[in-house]
Amino acid sequence: KDRVYTWIRDGWSIDENSVRADARQAGNQSPTVFVFIPKRSADDLRHYLIDFKAASATLDKRGSPNTAEGVEARAALETTKQTAEGRIKELLDDAFSGSRVFQGGGTEITGSDLQSMITEAAEKALQRLYPQFCVADHEGWGKVYANAKKGAPDALKGVGYDGEPAQNQVCKAILAFIGPGKKGSDIRSQFENAPYGWSGDAVDGGLQVLLVAGLIRATDDRGAAVDPKELERKAIAKAQFKVESTTVTSPQRIQIRKAMQRLGISAKPGEELASVPAFIQKALELAASSGGDAPRPERPSTESLEEIRLAAGNEQLIAIYNRRDELKEAADAWEERAKRIETRWPNWAKLQSLLHHAGAMEEAATYQVQVQSIIDTRLLLSEPDPVMPMVLAVSQLLRDELNNLASGYETAFESGFELLEKDPNWQKLEPEQRNALLSRQGLTNSQKPEIKVQGDSDIIATLSRISIASLRDRVVAMPSRFNQVLQDAAKLMEPQVTFVTISRRTLKTDVEVQEWVTEVQSQLLEALKSGPVGIQ
């Protein structure tokens, strides 16, 4: 880093004219300070220096005496040393008082105190080294950076500036240096060293203000755009900064904010660029909701949104401004279509569920064909609504079938109980025994299938518990289940009972009837040899 150097020489080694000549030769821009100390009373100074050193050496060597003569001699030497030291200081002060101090270029700093003259020369040298330092000489730059990091468009108020960022002297200098592109470390090096000497707060604060104002843009070390609010201070050195070639006027920004507001994105003045990603994401989500997989309409083209996304910096804002009417019309259309899909989709889902449960019914095939046609041609939103009439029709189809099966179940249930009541074994059973036998076959009242058909949701809920095929099977199996209950009741009463299955056939003549009777009689008589016989 650049520094201010003070070159001190004395009359014992060089003459004053040579020092003055060196100062002149350094030039008016040199920050070096040239100091000449004149040679005065050289013999006296030499004499007293010898006395001082001799007395000091003797005192150090001899130590503390123990005799009166020794004490007297030591006191004399100490007096000599003190006298010599005092005279040396007087002679040096006299020499220093005649010192000459020159700036680079030969200009002399006048005065009687050497320290004051060197301090004055050093301050002027600093002004030479950092002539632009005063431009950013304000303690408020740290506050400027902090407010700009939050996205405040008026962050420069921290240094008492209330104008456009591009006209601020610090921002203007940084903007001019960045040009087509500069790395953050290069920008810092440029303005923290001569001829600027600006603080890190001033440099980083100026950069952050320019980013928020949209006058420059930043990319990270991978080339990805960086949101000004997300740019950490430690990452500034590695970031690449470029001047925005496109400017956005205040009236344009107002229209851009209105376009964003249409999608519910609120952007503060001067912070529109930071809201672009949220705006694009919201638009893409709305477009996606206005179409989709069949039978929905196809998703609309979002090519214009992709073009905005691929642009950088202010180019994104201008792209939104130029397409603001197109984007508004598209958003209106997408929103309207999304609402219609949302309205019709529940009925479509209900139709799918109803048809799934009606799959075992022959009548459902016709509706399956119609549903496939709606899917193939994406007719969910067509007018008139093709879905609701089918929901009503399939729902009624299932309702009728469930009512028929419920009626068949009750008839078979009642018939089965009539048989039980006529059976002598059943009549002998205790209530607990009867309930156990019925429960084993799923024939208690609590085991009856719950069938509700009032509304579509009732039908779907019923068929979610038991399918039509299962319900049909239960109705068909009802007689055999009651027959099994009769057998179980007989076994309880007669544990040794053997059940015989009588063959069933179609009999057409008297002879066939007599042959069947003989066969059954023989079968039963043979079974009786083992104990009681039950017929099934």
Side-chain angles (χ1 to χ4, degrees):
K1 291 188 179 284
D2 296 312
R3 298 176 180 177
V4 172
Y5 293 93
T6 301
W7 190 4
I8 302 175
R9 288 174 288 179
D10 56 64
W12 282 267
S13 58
I14 195 171
D15 60 83
E16 179 183 332
N17 289 333
S18 296
V19 173
R20 188 189 297 270
D22 289 339
R24 289 173 178 169
Q25 187 175 359
N28 293 329
Q29 302 303 315
S30 172
T32 302
V33 176
F34 298 84
V35 178
F36 175 74
I37 301 174
K39 181 179 180 180
R40 290 184 176 179
S41 305
D43 292 339
D44 290 343
L45 182 59
R46 180 174 178 275
H47 170 73
Y48 286 114
L49 283 171
I50 292 173
D51 287 350
F52 177 79
K53 287 187 176 182
S56 296
T58 302
L59 289 170
D60 292 341
K61 186 175 182 180
R62 293 296 183 181
S64 300
N66 296 321
T67 64
E69 294 81 0
V71 170
E72 184 177 351
R74 182 175 180 83
L77 284 174
E78 287 179 347
T79 300
T80 300
K81 176 183 175 182
Q82 292 173 1
T83 300
E85 185 177 13
R87 289 294 296 149
I88 290 170
K89 185 177 182 304
E90 291 175 0
L91 292 173
L92 288 176
D93 287 343
D94 180 57
F96 288 148
S97 67
S99 297
R100 313 290 294 273
V101 179
F102 303 98
Q103 299 277 173
T107 302
E108 184 175 359
I109 302 298
T110 59
S112 58
D113 181 71
L114 179 59
Q115 181 177 345
S116 299
M117 290 190 293
I118 292 177
T119 299
E120 180 182 346
E123 290 175 352
K124 292 182 177 181
L126 283 172
Q127 294 175 8
R128 289 184 174 188
L129 184 59
Y130 301 112
Q132 298 297 321
F133 176 79
C134 60
V135 173
D137 185 16
H138 198 293
E139 62 182 8
W141 279 107
K143 184 177 180 181
V144 169
Y145 172 81
N147 290 338
K149 183 70 166 57
K150 298 175 183 177
D154 59 350
L156 284 171
K157 286 184 177 180
V159 291
Y161 184 82
D162 199 22
E164 291 294 325
Q167 300 306 315
N168 175 267
Q169 286 184 297
V170 171
C171 294
K172 192 173 184 179
I174 294 175
L175 200 60
F177 177 72
I178 291 175
K182 289 290 191 304
K183 199 172 181 180
S185 57
D186 295 333
I187 298 172
R188 283 177 169 174
S189 177
Q190 169 72 9
F191 292 102
E192 290 178 357
N193 295 315
Y196 298 94
W198 293 350
S199 67
D201 285 342
V203 179
D204 294 351
L207 279 172
Q208 199 70 33
V209 166
L210 292 171
L211 283 170
V212 171
L215 297 174
I216 62 174
R217 64 176 181 266
T219 55
D220 59 22
D221 51 4
R222 294 172 294 180
V226 180
D227 184 336
K229 291 183 179 180
E230 301 299 324
L231 180 61
E232 297 297 332
R233 197 163 186 176
K234 62 184 179 181
I236 289 178
K238 294 182 178 180
Q240 187 76 17
F241 296 88
K242 292 183 179 180
V243 174
E244 285 284 8
S245 58
T246 304
T247 58
V248 186
T249 65
S250 295
Q252 287 174 327
R253 289 182 181 273
I254 292 174
Q255 295 300 319
I256 292 167
R257 291 197 295 274
K258 286 183 178 179
M260 291 181 172
Q261 186 62 45
R262 172 62 187 80
L263 294 181
I265 304 299
S266 298
K268 295 180 181 179
E271 299 182 30
E272 297 83 4
L273 190 58
S275 300
V276 171
F279 171 74
I280 293 175
Q281 182 62 33
K282 193 67 176 289
L284 288 172
E285 290 174 358
L286 182 57
S289 68
S290 69
D293 297 336
R296 302 177 184 88
E298 291 186 358
R299 290 185 176 89
S301 171
T302 55
E303 184 178 348
S304 60
L305 293 174
E306 188 65 16
E307 291 177 359
I308 295 173
R309 187 184 69 81
L310 293 175
N314 285 351
E315 294 174 1
Q316 286 186 318
L317 297 180
I318 292 299
I320 294 174
Y321 174 78
N322 291 336
R323 294 177 178 269
R324 63 190 185 281
D325 294 333
E326 173 191 340
L327 291 170
K328 183 182 182 302
E329 292 175 3
D332 291 342
W334 297 343
E335 193 171 78
E336 189 273 337
R337 200 159 69 174
K339 288 180 179 178
R340 292 180 62 201
I341 290 174
E342 185 179 4
T343 299
R344 291 198 177 182
W345 193 256
N347 284 335
W348 173 258
K350 184 186 294 183
L351 178 60
Q352 297 297 302
S353 181
L354 291 170
L355 280 175
H356 169 72
H357 293 302
M361 303 175 65
E362 294 181 2
E363 300 89 334
T366 301
Y367 299 109
Q368 292 285 11
V369 172
Q370 295 180 42
V371 164
Q372 191 58 49
S373 176
I374 293 175
I375 294 174
D376 293 342
T377 51
R378 295 178 176 268
L379 295 179
L380 180 65
L381 300 184
S382 64
E383 295 294 347
D385 182 2
V387 176
M388 193 59 194
M390 281 198 289
V391 169
L392 296 174
V394 177
S395 177
Q396 189 58 46
L397 178 67
L398 290 170
R399 182 179 291 107
D400 293 342
E401 180 67 13
L402 287 172
N403 282 332
N404 290 335
L405 290 171
S407 177
Y409 189 96
E410 286 298 328
T411 299
F413 195 82
E414 291 174 3
S415 298
F417 264 95
E418 289 178 2
L419 290 175
L420 292 179
E421 294 300 332
K422 295 177 181 179
D423 183 69
N425 293 322
W426 180 260
Q427 294 174 2
K428 298 175 183 178
L429 295 179
E430 297 295 332
E432 292 79 6
Q433 292 175 307
R434 292 181 178 185
N435 190 68
L437 295 180
L438 290 171
S439 178
R440 191 183 303 166
Q441 298 300 322
L443 295 174
T444 64
N445 285 321
S446 63
Q447 290 172 310
K448 285 184 178 180
E450 185 180 9
I451 300 176
K452 294 184 179 180
V453 295
Q454 289 183 339
D456 297 339
S457 58
D458 294 323
I459 294 173
I460 292 172
T462 296
L463 293 174
S464 296
R465 293 190 296 270
I466 182 169
S467 67
I468 286 177
S470 297
L471 197 52
R472 285 174 177 173
D473 291 341
R474 289 187 67 170
V475 173
V476 171
M478 193 82 69
S480 63
R481 292 189 179 190
F482 275 104
N483 188 51
Q484 185 63 49
V485 171
L486 288 172
Q487 292 183 29
D488 293 341
K491 287 182 178 181
L492 284 175
M493 295 295 100
E494 295 286 348
Q496 302 300 318
V497 67
T498 300
F499 286 93
V500 177
T501 302
I502 298 175
S503 63
R504 291 174 173 81
R505 67 186 67 166
T506 301
L507 306 174
K508 297 180 180 180
T509 65
D510 294 345
V511 175
E512 290 178 347
V513 170
Q514 189 60 46
E515 289 177 349
W516 180 79
V517 170
T518 302
E519 180 184 331
V520 171
Q521 182 182 18
S522 175
Q523 184 179 3
L524 293 176
L525 291 173
E526 181 64 28
L528 277 172
K529 295 177 181 179
S530 301
V533 175
I535 299 174
Q536 60 180 14

